[in-house]
Amino acid sequence: MYIEPAYIIAWLLPALVGSGIWFALRERARGPGDIAAAIGAGWLIGLVVAAECARFAANADTAHAFARTWPWCAGIGFVAWIVAIVRMRRMAVGAQREESASSNAARWVWWLLLIWIVARFLLIGDEALLRPVFPWDAWSAWSTKPKAWFFAGSAEPYVPMAEWLAHPRDALRTAAAWSYPELLAWVQLWFASAASVWNEPLVDVAWCGALAAFALAAYGYWRAAGLAPWIALVLVYGLVSLPLVDAHVALAGYADLWLAILLGFATLAWTRWMIARERGQWLLAVASALCLPAIKLEGTVWLLVFSVVVVLDIVPQRWRRHAVLGGAVVSMVGIFIANAIGSIHVTWNQIEIPSLGTFALAWHGVGGAMAESLFTLPNWHLLWYLVPVLLVLRRRRFREDRAAGLLGLMLLIDFALLFVLFFFTTASAWAQDFTSANRLILQLVPSVFVLAAVLLRPLATSDASGADRRTARASAAPRAPA
């Protein structure tokens, strides 16, 4: 099969642009894992930049989205690398050399895991290249817009069916998923237009690229956090070996994996900010989180939770109770206003969200189905057996380490929302038929691995994450008389 050179460039250019942005935002001399973090995170950052540039530059010529967009991306990358080179030359004096103190056994473990991970990606990537999109949600919801836009030559707007019927002469389109976010559609158009043909395997192998990029970024971030190379790679192995994760790569087309990866990258960058106080990482975390609603509707919920915890991190400790109280009041007022203007309808026994549907509030006993999904069906290996053990063994870290405490709080709120959704609304049917329940949990799994890495990392006296709490304990301790 002949591959257009532009298609190869479409894979390489995002990594060049994004790694330039990553290095431009870095605020310390090069340390362990930075190259891996820059390449992996850079590909994800660059692809989002490319998709947004395509939305701006190729809206009226979608079939040539790559040709119209790549000069913009190259320009952004050029500027980013100029800034990065200037900053790196200033920081070169304090550059750290990565020490290699691992035992021979640890090195063997590292190499064996690396070989297995590469082989795994080759296998699931080959699966993605062998088949078109399956005729489920991937086909009816997530590939409809980009495919129609590619063949139509322009990004014609999608509207509700009633509006489409009322304006038969306008250049409008409709579909069951007409209101779904469109960032992923522009990602697909980026690769399809580079290939000069709508070839679904060539488009959907990007799902494999996204997981590989996150795995590389995670390894780099976890090395920078102080984890030994083999421990960081064990965590990467644990994530990329999960059957449900691999299924979303091999049977590519669903948006859940992209949402999980962007949320996971937001937590990676955010924890690095909490540990090392690198402002550039805070900006990357916030930018990634802001992309979540542009991937999938439930990304708005994860963005809100992430925002709340990020604000708690910024607010001084003496003001946090007031901030929580103020946030609760603002949330209640927001719900009241949204209810008044018809954005949502909330009563004691149901919640109606026009874009998602109506959810009746009542207890649904789906504990058995959820337990089967998490512990007995071949979706998650031993993940949900091991996570509680790690939380118990490292429970003190939640008090000693701000990064662990705040990330744990974020995930606690996220899983509490899923508990309410599955056990108190009609979405319980998603748990009983083993469909969307696991996909929603999947969206949080990379962030769970980030929490695991934070709990396993060695605490250093220079950590910004634990410094505030150690200072607080020291100031609270009684002093000896002079």
Side-chain angles (χ1 to χ4, degrees):
M1 179 176 61
Y2 175 74
I3 301 295
E4 291 281 349
Y7 181 76
I8 305 299
I9 297 173
W11 277 85
L12 298 177
L13 186 58
L16 290 173
V17 173
S19 58
I21 294 173
W22 194 92
F23 277 118
L25 293 173
R26 191 182 60 173
E27 297 182 1
R28 68 173 192 180
R30 185 168 70 86
D34 277 4
I35 298 298
I39 296 173
W43 193 83
L44 295 172
I45 296 166
L47 196 57
V48 171
V49 170
E52 291 297 341
C53 287
R55 188 199 300 264
F56 166 76
N59 195 67
D61 188 11
T62 50
H64 303 96
F66 175 78
R68 288 185 170 273
T69 303
W70 78 261
W72 291 90
C73 295
I76 294 171
F78 179 78
V79 173
W81 271 107
I82 292 295
V83 176
I85 291 171
V86 171
R87 290 174 63 89
M88 283 191 288
R89 293 186 70 174
R90 290 177 180 174
M91 294 184 292
V93 176
Q96 303 174 22
R97 290 189 177 182
E98 186 171 347
E99 296 182 2
S100 178
S102 301
S103 65
N104 288 332
R107 291 194 187 98
W108 275 106
V109 170
W110 192 91
W111 278 108
L112 289 173
L113 286 174
L114 180 63
I115 292 170
W116 188 96
I117 290 170
V118 171
R120 188 67 172 172
F121 274 113
L122 291 175
L123 179 64
I124 59 179
D126 184 58
E127 283 290 321
L129 286 169
L130 285 175
R131 65 182 81 249
V133 173
F134 267 31
W136 295 332
D137 283 5
W139 177 82
S140 63
W142 299 109
S143 68
T144 300
K145 288 182 181 180
K147 188 173 183 179
W149 290 345
F150 180 82
F151 287 111
S154 62
E156 297 168 345
Y158 274 75
V159 297
M161 187 170 292
E163 184 178 345
W164 178 75
L165 289 171
H167 302 86
R169 296 185 180 180
D170 293 347
L172 301 175
R173 293 178 178 270
T174 191
W178 67 270
S179 63
Y180 280 20
E182 297 171 352
L183 178 59
L184 191 53
W186 288 103
V187 170
Q188 295 177 76
L189 278 170
W190 167 262
F191 288 106
S193 60
S196 299
V197 63
W198 183 262
N199 185 315
E200 289 176 353
L202 291 181
V203 171
D204 292 339
V205 75
W207 269 247
C208 185
L211 181 61
F214 180 79
L216 191 60
Y219 176 80
Y221 273 85
W222 293 336
R223 287 287 294 116
L227 269 69
W230 72 273
I231 296 178
L233 204 62
V234 165
L235 288 173
V236 171
Y237 163 85
L239 175 61
V240 303
S241 67
L242 293 175
L244 193 62
V245 172
D246 291 350
H248 275 254
V249 173
L251 305 177
Y254 283 79
D256 303 274
L257 183 66
W258 289 89
L259 189 61
I261 285 171
L262 278 179
L263 178 59
F265 177 63
T267 57
L268 279 175
W270 182 47
T271 52
R272 181 153 169 168
W273 147 258
M274 288 189 287
I275 292 169
R277 278 304 192 245
E278 294 185 46
R279 289 168 294 181
Q281 295 299 318
W282 189 88
L283 291 174
L284 286 178
V286 171
S288 299
L290 289 173
C291 291
L292 299 178
I295 293 290
K296 206 174 181 191
L297 294 173
E298 51 263 44
T300 303
V301 178
W302 306 141
L303 170 61
L304 290 174
V305 176
F306 183 82
S307 301
V308 167
V309 184
V310 166
V311 169
L312 282 179
D313 176 41
I314 297 174
V315 173
Q317 191 166 2
R318 64 180 180 276
W319 293 104
R320 284 180 184 173
R321 291 185 180 179
H322 301 287
V324 171
L325 180 60
V329 172
V330 170
S331 299
M332 295 299 295
V333 171
I335 292 174
F336 177 80
I337 294 174
N339 199 35
I341 65 177
S343 297
I344 62 173
H345 301 284
V346 180
T347 64
W348 290 111
N349 60 355
Q350 73 174 25
I351 299 174
E352 182 181 350
I353 305 175
S355 59
L356 296 178
T358 302
F359 300 91
L361 299 177
W363 172 259
H364 298 273
V366 294
M370 289 300 300
E372 190 173 354
S373 291
L374 297 175
F375 297 107
T376 62
L377 293 178
N379 294 320
W380 303 108
H381 283 331
L382 299 176
L383 176 64
W384 303 115
Y385 290 94
L386 297 176
V387 167
V389 174
L390 178 62
L391 296 180
V392 171
L393 292 178
R394 295 282 181 161
R395 60 189 181 277
R396 291 186 177 180
R397 281 295 182 90
F398 292 105
R399 297 193 305 270
E400 299 171 351
D401 186 356
R402 180 176 58 216
L406 289 173
L407 184 53
L409 175 62
M410 185 196 83
L411 287 170
L412 179 64
I413 297 172
D414 289 339
F415 280 105
L417 290 174
L418 290 183
F419 178 81
V420 172
L421 180 69
F422 296 142
F423 285 84
F424 288 92
T425 75
T426 50
S428 59
W430 302 346
Q432 292 172 330
D433 61 13
F434 306 109
T435 54
S436 297
N438 278 302
R439 283 160 49 194
L440 287 170
I441 293 171
L442 170 68
Q443 296 170 11
L444 302 178
V445 164
S447 300
V448 171
F449 276 85
V450 177
L451 175 61
V454 171
L455 293 174
L456 290 172
R457 76 184 185 94
L459 280 180
T461 56
S462 59
D463 281 357
S465 179
D468 290 350
R469 298 190 183 190
R470 287 191 293 269
T471 303
R473 287 198 301 271
S475 61
R479 297 184 179 179

